[in-house]
Amino acid sequence: MNNIVVLTIAGFDPSGGAGIQADLRTFEALGVVGISAITAITVQNSTGVKSVHAVEPDILKSQLDFLLSDIKVHAVKIGMLGGVPQVEGVAELLLKYRPPNIIVDPVLISTSGKRLLSIEGVEAMKRMLFPLSTLITPNLPELETLTGIKIDSQTSMDSAVRILNKISVQNVLVKGGHSEGDAIDTLYQSQGLPQTFHATRVVTKNTHGTGCLLSSAIAAYVAKGNALHDAVGLAKGTLSSALHTPVSIGHGNGYPHISRTI
Ligand code: PLP
């Protein structure tokens, strides 16, 4: 069998809802083989993130070098990065091995309010990783932080995406989950008009790691040969059904879970 391999470069969430564990669970459920490199270890449970400990950049680079010198990957998902040295390390290794289909989830702040990437880290990610990406997947607050534009209309969203295009971002999926009503995401591709994806809002507190699941699912579907537009549609469907079968453990927020059928 010809295995399809997807690499996640992300943080470790010991409660299992987000980060590397969510990514690997998603890959497994969607029938691709997951491999991973850890950028940071967080201390967190279902109630939130207590602290963040970035992995030594040399260790991160060594993980990536050893993996990529050995295994051919079909897509890469990048999540939480930790800091400037980790961003630099990831960019260096991506430039060395040039894997295809790089999906960047620009993780900036946890839902519980903990900063997961420093301000300098955000600038480094924009400068070094965005130009290497196939797609970035900001939610509305992340799009505002990345561009400095207040998003309150279609026009302001269009302007924000144009700012990202100017720094060599090819494709942007703006996730509308933070606005009112149904969850409407908008895909801006380098060619053609923006396309929207609608999903009925699932009213739940079990939303921890939704961004991780969505970006990993997009990476998996693209790795399996789907066009970007189709991969986004499929991934959104996957997330919607996973939100209906959550894992709710601990005193805080649970997380969507793909492989559960009851
Ligand atoms: N911890 C890790 C390792 C993450 O990657 C993320 C988000 O991507 C979070 C925590 C925050 O997750 P949330 O804001 O969904 O609770």
Side-chain angles (χ1 to χ4, degrees), residues 8-38:
T8 171
I9 305 171
F12 175 68
D13 163 11
S15 75
I20 291 273
Q21 299 190 57
D23 299 344
L24 293 177
R25 217 169 29 239
T26 304
F27 298 155
E28 180 79 24
L30 298 181
V32 299
V33 177
I35 57 173
S36 55
I38 298 193

Side-chain angles (χ1 to χ4, degrees), residues 11-13 18-19 42 44 49 80 105 107 109-111 116 207-210 212:
F12 175 68
D13 163 11
T42 69
Q44 69 180 298
V49 181
M80 175 186 171
D105 179 13
V107 176
I109 296 176
S110 75
T111 309
L116 299 177
T207 56
H208 177 47
T210 44
C212 304

Side-chain angles (χ1 to χ4, degrees), residues 224-251:
K224 292 207 276 190
N226 294 284
L228 193 56
H229 172 272
D230 299 339
V232 168
L234 288 165
K236 196 159 165 70
T238 300
L239 173 59
S240 290
S241 40
L243 281 165
H244 285 106
T245 54
V247 168
S248 186
I249 51 173
H251 297 91

Side-chain angles (χ1 to χ4, degrees), residues 180-238:
E180 308 275 288
D182 282 350
I184 301 171
D185 299 348
T186 310
L187 177 64
Y188 292 81
Q189 293 194 262
S190 40
Q191 306 289 328
L193 292 172
Q195 291 152 315
T196 52
F197 297 82
H198 295 244
T200 308
R201 177 173 296 276
V202 181
V203 180
T204 175
K205 68 178 183 117
N206 302 318
T207 56
H208 177 47
T210 44
C212 304
L213 192 155
L214 184 77
S215 53
S216 297
I218 295 171
Y221 284 120
V222 167
K224 292 207 276 190
N226 294 284
L228 193 56
H229 172 272
D230 299 339
V232 168
L234 288 165
K236 196 159 165 70
T238 300

Side-chain angles (χ1 to χ4, degrees), residues 77-80 103-107 136-137 142 175 211-212 215:
K77 174 254 158 88
I78 299 178
M80 175 186 171
I103 314 297
V104 179
D105 179 13
V107 176
I136 67 165
T137 63
E142 286 163 351
K175 298 178 292 189
C212 304
S215 53

